[in-house]
Amino acid sequence: MRIGVYPGTFDPITRGHTDIIVRSLRIFDRLIVAVAPNPRKAPMLNVAERVELAKIATKGIEYVEVEAFNGLLVPYVRDRGAQGIIRGIRAVSDFEHEFQMALLNRKLDEGLETVFLMPSEEYSYLTSSIIKELAMLGGPLHDFVQPEVAEHLRIRFQKGSS
Ligand code: PNS
């Protein structure tokens, strides 16, 4: 059984992320979507909301589980018995940072590989930051996130602005 971990901030989970999840399952038998608190990025949603939205967005996909993780990624991946870390790469601009992370993580555990996957071109420009901006300004979200995620964000930001 090959287990992969797909770590990220998922603030919020987008259609680009779910595209990567489906692709990962062509390589791994099971996938753990691991939501990091990542306070450095000042996320708009708290970890519990991000986990909940990731669960909702992946509910139709078999062999996926979603959970939060704290601390360093490498010991977490080891604890979960996984063999690989999945990261999505959209453009060359993603590469440098991803390359650094992958090499650092491999330094921490030589037995652990990072697998880079490319999302479908239609999602290649999509970032959680774009979604956040659209959500906060009341823009249309349905093309970028699952309907339930869009609805959650719409309600969240209506409340926020009242
Ligand atoms: O979705 P993101 O923000 O690009 O995800 C980044 C994430 C969460 C994968 C990365 O920040 C991470 O692995 N955080 C856990 C702490 C850690 O292990 N840091 C050392 C590796 S850079």
Side-chain angles (χ1 to χ4, degrees), residues 79-144:
D79 283 354
R80 304 301 272 110
Q83 292 80 26
I85 297 169
I86 315 282
R87 293 289 289 169
I89 293 251
R90 291 159 300 199
V92 179
S93 53
D94 284 338
F95 184 76
E96 199 167 334
H97 178 59
E98 293 298 331
F99 187 62
Q100 273 179 346
M101 281 206 294
L103 290 184
L104 174 69
N105 287 334
R106 197 166 66 188
K107 184 82 188 157
L108 299 179
D109 184 341
E110 287 288 339
L112 203 54
E113 296 298 341
T114 298
V115 177
F116 294 114
L117 294 176
M118 282 158 286
S120 165
E121 314 79 274
E122 63 183 303
Y123 303 127
S124 60
Y125 65 96
L126 208 56
T127 63
S128 293
S129 316
I130 288 177
I131 311 293
K132 275 185 245 186
E133 185 149 343
L134 274 176
M136 288 180 197
L137 300 173
L141 294 169
H142 281 86
D143 284 346
F144 314 117

Side-chain angles (χ1 to χ4, degrees), residues 6-11 17 34-38 40-41 69-75 85-87 90 97-98 100-102 104-105 108 128:
Y6 180 31
T9 309
F10 301 106
D11 184 41
H17 292 130
V35 180
N38 223 344
R40 222 161 33 97
K41 279 202 169 172
F69 81 101
N70 280 296
L72 276 181
L73 177 63
V74 166
I85 297 169
I86 315 282
R87 293 289 289 169
R90 291 159 300 199
H97 178 59
E98 293 298 331
Q100 273 179 346
M101 281 206 294
L104 174 69
N105 287 334
L108 299 179
S128 293

